[in-house]
C-alpha cells in the first residue's frame, strides 16, 4: 500500500467537467433554472462588505461575479491632497490587518525618492514589526478560514495570540490596529525598555501554540477533506492572473519579494539562512488547492518567527530615525517599491514634483488583484466550496476598494 | 485494493484527528479563561497609548504646529495675545474626525500636546465629540499674576526710567542753572535730555 | 399502611398519567364534573412535558454557552446571576418582547405553523420518555419506534420553514435538512437494532431493566463482554444523532458561514426560539435514548444503592437523577465535539451517511446477531 492517496473525482469536479462539456442537462435529464444568490454585502463569509453574485443550480455554483466598491474611500485621491507625512495614517486603513506593512511600503517608496539612508536599528525594528504583523494577519486569515469551514474555536485561539501581538504594538506605538508607526526615515519611537524581551517571550509561546493550530485545524481530516482538491489554481493560471503572495506560492511558484526584490534587511537575513520560503506541494490533494494556500500561510507564520528571532539576536542600540526635516520636500521624480505584504505584493507608486504634497500616490493592492481569480475558480463548485475558495483568497475589502 | 485502503484510512484519520482536536479543546476547557470581565477589571494601558488628547495649557504658545500637522484638520485653536501671555478662547479637537495618528504630537515645539490613556466615549449627540482641551479659559491665575508682575515691572521700569530721566533732567537743570549765569538760555532745552 | 388516595397514587408503580388521574380523583371537589378529570390530566401531563422541554432547552443553551466559552478561553455569560445561570430567562424575556417579523413574500400560514410543528414533534416524543421506572406518560411496547418516528417529523417543520420563508438561504437550509435526515435515519435505526437485539425489546423500560445488576455498571450493553459490536454501534448511533439534531459537524441546514442561518434566516423572536428549543430538546432526547440503549438507562451504582434501601420513592429519584445525568453527559459530549470540529460538506454528509455509516451499521447488526445466536448462550456471564 502506498502512502499517496488515490484521487477520486469529487462531485464538484465531476460537475465542473459536466458544465464544460455541456453534459449537465443531459445527465440530470431535468431542466432546472439557475438560482441567483446574492452573497453579500451582508453575509457572514464575505470578509467585509463585498458582494458576490452567485449563480447556482441547487447546491452547484455555476458562476460567480464579485462586485466591489462598498468600501471605497478615495484613499489615492486623498494622497494628492495631503502632505507626504500626513498620508501615512491613510495607508493604515487599506489593509487594516497588516498596517505595519502598508506603512513600510509607503515609507520605502518615499525614501527611495529622497535617497536617504535609514539607521540600522530602525530597519531592525521595522522588520520585527512587519513580521509580527504578518503573523497577526495570517492568524486572522487562518482563523477566519476555519470559521468559514465551520470551526469556531481555533479562531478564538488565534485571536488570543493576535491580541498579544496587538498588545506588543500598543506598547511600542500606542495603537492596536492603525499603527502609523513606521514613518518616512525610520520609525516614530524607539522600542520601550523590555519590549524586545517581551517579543522574544511571544516567539517562544507562539511556537507552542502554532503546533496546536496545526494539530487542531490544519491536519483535521474534515478540514483536509473540505479544502483539498478545491479551487485548484495551476501554475500557469496563477501567473496569468498576476497573483502574488501565498496565493502564488500555494501554486508552487517560488517567488517572494523578501528574497527576490529585497528591501530592508531581508537580503542579509536570507543570506544568513534564517528563513525559508514555504511553497504549496499538493501534499493533501492537488497542487494549488485551498489547502496548499492555507498551509503556506501557516508555514509563513513559523518562518516569520524565525526572522523576528534573527532580528532580536542582531539588534544593536542606535538612532531610530534618519535626519529629515520636519516639513518634507521630496525631490522631483517617481518611485515604486513593492513589498511582501501578508496578502502579496503591496506596492506604492509615488510621484513628486518637488513640493510638499505628492502629485500621485498609486497603490498596487494584492487583495484587489487576487480577487480577480474568484470568477474563474467558482464555476462548478458547490456553494460550500465557494465559501472555502473565497476564504482561501484571504482578501481584505478595505484594500480592494481603498 | 487502494479504494478499500482509502476507505479504512478515511475512517482512521477522521477518528484520530478528531480525538487530537478534542484533546486540545478539552485541555483549554479545564484551564482558566484568559479574558477579563471588562468594566470590573481592566488590563493595564501602556504609557504610549494613543487615546484622547490632553494639553499642557501652561506651556502652549498657540503656534498652530499641531493643527498644521493634522491630516484631517481636526484641531482648531484660538487665543488672544497679551504681550507674552495668552488669553485662551478655545482649543478644540473634533473626535468625529480624529484618527488618533499622533502626528500632532511630534511637531510641537513646547512638547505640550499629548495623547492620554482615556479611550471610551459615547454620546447621544455628535456635538459632544468636539472636545475642548482647555482646562481653563481666559488667562490662568499664574499668567495673570505674571502679567501683572510684568506690567508692574514694566511700570516700575518706566517709573525708574522716568525718575532717572527726571533726575537727569534735574541734574542738567542744576548744572545749567549752575552754569546759568554763563548761559541764561540753557533752561529752555532742559526737556531734550 | 394506609395512605390517603392522592399520596398512594404517587407511590404506586403505574404510569404518570394514571397517577395524576388518581391524584386528581383524590382531591377533586364535588362540584367539578367527572368529564373534567381526563382533560385536566391531559393538560397537566402536557404541562409537565412542556416544562421539561423548556428546562432542558434553557439549561442546554446556558451549558452550551459556558462550555463553548471555557473551551475558547473565555467565560461565557457572567452577568445575570451566578456565572450567568439566569441568562436563559433573560434571553427568553428578550425573545418574547422582540418584534415578530414575517417577511412580505412569505407563505404566512406555513410560516407561522412551522415552528409549532417542529416543537410539537419533540413534545410528542416526550410522551414515551420515562422519567423514572414508575413515572412515564405512556408505556408503549414500540417505545423507541415512536420516538424515532415522532422526532423525524421535525423535518417537515424545517422544510416548511425553509420553503415558506421566501428566502433562498432558507430554501437551501431546508433542502439540506431533508436530504440529511433521510440519509441518517437509516444508520440511526439500524445501529439501534444492535441493543434492541440484545435486549429483545423496543420498550425503553424493558431495555433498562435488562441492564440491571452488576453493581449497576457491569451489565451495561456498551461493554464488549456483553456484545463486542455494541461499541461500534454506539459510535455510529452517536454520529447519526449528531446529524439528526443538526449539530456540528453536521450543522449544514444552519451553516452560518454558508447559508447565513439556513432555514431560520427569516425567523425572529419567540418563533426563532422554538427552533432553538427543539434543537436542544432533541439533543437531550437522543442522548437519553442512547443512554437507555447503551449505557444502562436507569441503572447506575446510585440506583443500585437506592434499590438496596428498598424505599420506593428513593429508587425513583435515584433513577431519575441517573438518567438526567447521563443525558447531560451526552449533551456535553455533543457540545465538546461541536466546538472542536469544522463542518462537513453536503456531498460528504451524504457519502458518510450512505457509504460509511449504513454499511458499517449493517455489519454491526450482522456481527451482533451472530454473537447473540451462537456465542451469547454459551457465555457464563450472560
Amino acid at each position: 500500500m502506498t502512502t499517496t492517496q488515490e484521487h477520486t473525482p469529487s462531485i464538484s469536479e465531476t460537475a465542473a467537467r459536466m458544465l464544460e462539456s455541456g453534459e449537465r442537462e443531459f445527465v440530470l435529464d431535468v431542466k432546472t433554472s439557475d438560482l441567483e444568490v446574492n452573497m453579500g454585502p451582508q453575509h457572514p463569509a464575505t470578509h467585509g462588505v463585498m458582494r458576490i453574485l452567485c449563480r447556482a443550480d441547487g447546491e452547484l455554483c455555476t458562476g460567480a461575479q464579485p462586485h466591489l466598491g462598498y468600501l471605497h474611500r478615495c484613499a489615492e485621491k486623498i494622497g494628492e491632497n495631503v502632505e507626504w507625512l500626513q498620508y501615512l495614517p491613510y495607508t493604515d486603513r487599506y489593509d487594516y490587518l497588516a498596517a505595519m506593512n502598508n506603512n513600510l511600503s509607503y515609507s520605502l517608496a518615499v525614501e527611495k525618492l529622497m535617497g536617504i539612508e535609514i539607521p540600522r536599528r530602525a530597519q531592525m525594528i521595522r522588520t520585527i514589526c512587519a513580521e509580527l504583523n504578518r503573523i497577526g494577519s495570517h492568524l486572522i486569515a487562518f482563523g477566519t478560514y476555519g470559521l468559514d469551514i465551520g470551526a469556531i474555536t481555533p479562531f478564538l485561539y488565534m485571536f488570543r495570540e493576535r491580541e498579544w501581538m496587538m498588545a506588543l504594538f500598543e506598547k511600542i506605538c500606542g495603537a492596536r490596529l492603525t499603527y502609523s508607526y513606521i514613518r518616512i526615515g525610520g520609525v516614530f519611537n524607539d522600542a520601550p525598555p523590555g519590549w524586545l524581551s517581551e517579543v522574544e517571550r511571544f516567539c517562544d509561546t507562539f511556537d507552542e501554540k502554532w503546533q496546536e493550530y496545526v494539530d487542531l485545524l490544519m491536519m483535521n481530516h474534515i478540514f483536509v477533506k473540505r479544502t483539498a482538491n478545491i479551487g485548484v489554481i495551476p501554475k500557469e493560471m496563477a501567473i496569468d492572473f498576476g497573483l502574488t503572495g501565498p496565493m502564488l506560492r500555494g501554486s508552487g511558484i517560488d517567488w517572494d519579494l523578501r528574497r527576490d526584490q529585497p528591501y530592508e534587511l531581508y537580503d542579509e537575513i536570507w543570506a544568513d539562512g534564517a528563513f525559508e520560503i514555504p511553497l504549496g506541494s499538493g501534499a493533501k490533494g492537488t497542487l494549488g488547492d485551498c489547502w496548499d494556500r492555507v498551509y503556506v500561510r501557516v508555514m509563513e507564520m513559523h518562518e516569520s518567527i524565525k526572522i523576528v528571532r534573527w532580528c532580536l539576536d542582531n539588534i544593536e542600540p542606535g538612532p531610530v530615525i534618519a535626519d529629515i526635516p520636519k516639513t518634507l520636500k521630496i525631490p522631483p521624480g517617481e518611485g515604486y517599491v513593492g513589498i511582501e505584504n501578508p496578502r502579496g505584493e503591496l506596492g506604492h507608486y509615488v510621484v513628486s514634483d518637488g513640493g510638499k504634497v505628492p502629485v500621485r500616490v498609486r497603490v498596487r493592492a494584492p487583495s484587489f488583484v487576487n480577487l480577480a481569480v474568484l470568477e474563474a475558480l467558482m464555476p462548478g463548485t458547490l456553494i460550500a466550496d465557494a465559501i472555502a475558495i473565497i476564504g482561501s483568497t484571504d482578501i481584505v475589502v478595505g484594500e480592494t476598494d481603498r | 485494493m487502494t479504494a478499500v485502503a482509502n476507505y479504512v484510512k478515511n475512517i482512521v484519520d477522521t477518528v484520530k484527528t478528531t480525538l487530537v482536536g478534542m484533546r486540545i479543546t478539552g485541555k483549554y476547557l479545564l484551564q482558566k479563561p484568559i479574558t477579563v470581565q471588562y468594566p470590573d477589571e481592566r488590563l493595564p494601558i501602556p504609557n504610549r497609548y494613543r487615546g484622547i488628547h490632553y494639553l499642557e495649557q501652561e506651556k502652549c504658545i498657540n503656534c498652530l504646529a499641531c493643527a498644521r500637522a493634522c491630516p484631517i484638520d481636526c484641531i482648531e485653536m484660538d487665543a488672544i495675545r497679551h504681550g507674552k501671555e495668552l488669553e485662551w478662547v478655545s482649543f478644540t479637537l473634533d473626535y468625529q474626525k480624529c484618527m488618533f495618528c499622533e502626528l500632532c504630537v511630534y511637531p510641537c515645539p513646547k512638547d505640550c500636546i499629548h495623547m492620554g490613556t482615556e479611550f471610551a466615549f459615547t454620546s447621544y449627540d455628535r456635538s459632544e465629540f468636539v472636545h475642548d482641551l482647555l482646562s481653563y479659559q481666559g488667562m490662568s491665575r499664574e499668567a495673570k499674576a505674571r502679567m501683572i508682575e510684568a506690567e508692574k515691572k514694566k511700570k516700575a521700569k518706566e517709573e525708574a526710567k522716568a525718575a532717572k530721566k527726571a533726575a537727569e533732567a534735574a541734574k542738567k537743570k542744576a548744572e545749567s542753572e549752575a552754569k546759568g549765569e554763563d548761559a541764561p538760555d540753557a533752561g529752555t532745552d532742559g526737556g531734550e535730555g | 399502611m394506609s395512605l390517603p388516595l392522592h399520596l398512594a397514587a404517587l407511590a404506586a408503580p403505574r404510569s404518570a398519567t394514571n397517577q395524576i388521574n388518581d391524584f386528581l380523583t383524590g382531591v377533586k371537589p364535588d362540584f367539578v364534573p367527572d368529564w373534567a378529570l381526563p382533560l385536566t390530566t391531559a393538560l397537566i401531563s402536557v404541562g409537565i412535558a412542556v416544562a421539561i422541554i423548556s428546562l432542558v432547552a434553557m439549561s442546554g443553551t446556558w451549558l452550551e454557552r459556558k462550555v463553548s466559552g471555557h473551551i475558547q478561553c473565555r467565560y461565557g455569560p457572567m452577568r445575570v446571576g451566578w456565572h450567568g445561570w439566569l441568562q436563559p430567562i433573560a434571553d427568553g424575556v428578550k425573545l418574547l418582547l422582540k418584534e415578530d417579523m414575517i417577511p412580505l413574500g412569505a407563505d404566512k400560514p406555513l410560516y407561522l405553523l412551522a415552528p409549532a410543528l417542529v416543537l410539537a414533534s419533540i413534545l410528542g416524543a416526550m410522551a414515551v420518555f420515562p422519567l423514572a421506572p414508575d413515572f412515564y406518560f405512556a408505556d408503549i411496547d414500540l417505545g423507541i419506534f415512536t420516538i424515532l418516528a415522532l422526532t423525524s417529523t421535525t423535518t417537515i417543520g424545517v422544510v416548511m420553514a425553509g420553503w415558506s420563508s421566501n428566502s433562498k438561504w432558507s430554501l437551501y437550509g431546508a433542502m439540506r435538512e431533508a436530504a440529511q435526515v433521510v440519509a441518517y435515519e437509516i444508520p440511526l435505526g439500524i445501529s439501534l437494532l444492535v441493543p434492541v437485539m440484545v435486549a429483545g425489546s423496543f420498550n425503553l423500560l424493558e431495555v433498562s431493566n435488562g441492564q440491571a445488576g452488576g453493581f449497576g455498571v457491569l451489565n451495561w450493553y456498551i461493554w464488549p463482554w456483553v456484545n463486542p459490536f455494541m461499541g461500534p454501534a454506539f459510535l455510529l448511533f452517536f454520529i447519526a444523532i449528531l446529524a439528526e439534531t443538526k449539530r456540528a459537524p453536521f450543522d449544514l441546514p444552519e451553516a452560518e458561514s454558508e447559508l447565513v442561518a439556513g432555514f431560520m434566516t427569516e425567523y425572529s423572536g419567540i418563533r426563532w426560539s422554538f427552533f432553538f428549543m427543539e434543537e436542544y430538546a432533541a439533543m437531550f432526547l437522543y442522548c437519553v435514548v442512547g443512554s437507555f440503549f447503551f449505557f444502562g438507562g436507569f441503572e447506575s451504582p446510585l440506583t443500585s444503592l437506592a434499590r438496596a434501601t428498598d424505599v420506593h420513592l428513593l429508587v425513583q429519584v435515584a433513577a431519575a437523577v441517573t438518567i438526567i445525568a447521563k443525558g447531560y453527559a451526552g449533551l456535553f459530549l455533543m457540545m465538546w465535539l461541536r466546538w472542536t470540529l469544522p463542518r462537513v460538506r453536503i456531498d460528504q454528509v451524504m457519502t458518510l451517511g450512505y457509504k460509511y455509516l449504513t454499511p458499517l451499521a449493517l455489519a454491526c447488526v450482522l456481527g451482533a446477531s451472530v454473537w447473540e445466536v451462537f456465542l451469547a448462550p454459551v457465555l457464563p456471564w450472560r
Side-chain angles (χ1 to χ4, degrees), chain A residues 11 36-37 43-45 56 58-59 147-149 152-153 156-157 160 220 222 225-226 230 382 384-385, chain C residues 71-74 168-169 172 176 249 256-260 338-348:
Chain A
I11 283 194
E36 280 214 331
V37 189
H43 185 273
E59 283 278 341
L147 216 55
D148 287 345
I149 300 295
I152 299 165
T153 303
L156 281 125
Y157 291 163
R160 180 188 56 197
N220 187 292
I222 297 177
K225 282 284 163 193
R226 278 298 304 276
I230 302 298
L382 298 176
D385 291 340
Chain C
I71 277 180
Q72 294 163 356
C73 301
R74 32 183 203 94
K168 288 163 186 168
W169 302 121
Y172 270 117
R176 283 180 176 192
E256 82 283 342
S257 64
E258 292 158 26
L259 304 184
V260 189
R338 174 179 178 182
W339 298 106
T340 304
L341 290 180
R343 185 183 309 119
V344 290
R345 202 171 51 207
I346 184 71
D347 62 316
Q348 290 164 349

Side-chain angles (χ1 to χ4, degrees), chain A residues 245-270:
Chain A
M247 293 278 285
L248 182 71
R249 289 192 287 277
S251 296
I253 297 167
D254 198 358
W255 175 258
D256 189 319
L257 293 183
R258 287 176 292 179
R259 180 197 59 198
D260 298 314
Q261 286 176 15
Y263 49 95
E264 298 295 350
L265 298 168
Y266 282 113
D267 43 352
E268 211 175 304
I269 303 173
W270 175 258

Side-chain angles (χ1 to χ4, degrees), chain B residues 9 11 20-21 31 46 48 65 79 81 94 114 142 148 175 180 184 186 188-189:
Chain B
K9 193 173 177 294
I11 297 173
V20 167
Q31 279 178 9
R48 285 185 186 174
R81 212 165 266 280
D94 189 349
H114 306 282
E142 291 82 11
I148 292 166
E175 273 171 15
T188 53
D189 58 12

Side-chain angles (χ1 to χ4, degrees), chain A residues 215-216 219-222, chain B residues 8-24, chain C residues 235 340-341:
Chain A
D215 289 344
L216 178 59
M219 295 301 171
N220 187 292
H221 197 64
I222 297 177
Chain B
V8 176
K9 193 173 177 294
N10 275 337
I11 297 173
V12 172
D13 275 0
T14 312
V15 173
K16 210 166 73 182
T17 52
T18 304
L19 289 179
V20 167
M22 285 176 80
R23 183 177 55 77
I24 293 170
Chain C
L235 212 62
T340 304
L341 290 180

Side-chain angles (χ1 to χ4, degrees), chain A residues 86 172 174 178-179 190 212, chain B residues 10 27-28 48 50 68-69:
Chain A
Q86 286 181 352
I172 200 170
T178 49
Y179 310 112
D190 199 353
E212 254 173 29
Chain B
N10 275 337
K27 190 184 90 188
Y28 283 113
R48 285 185 186 174
R50 303 206 308 237
R68 268 199 296 273

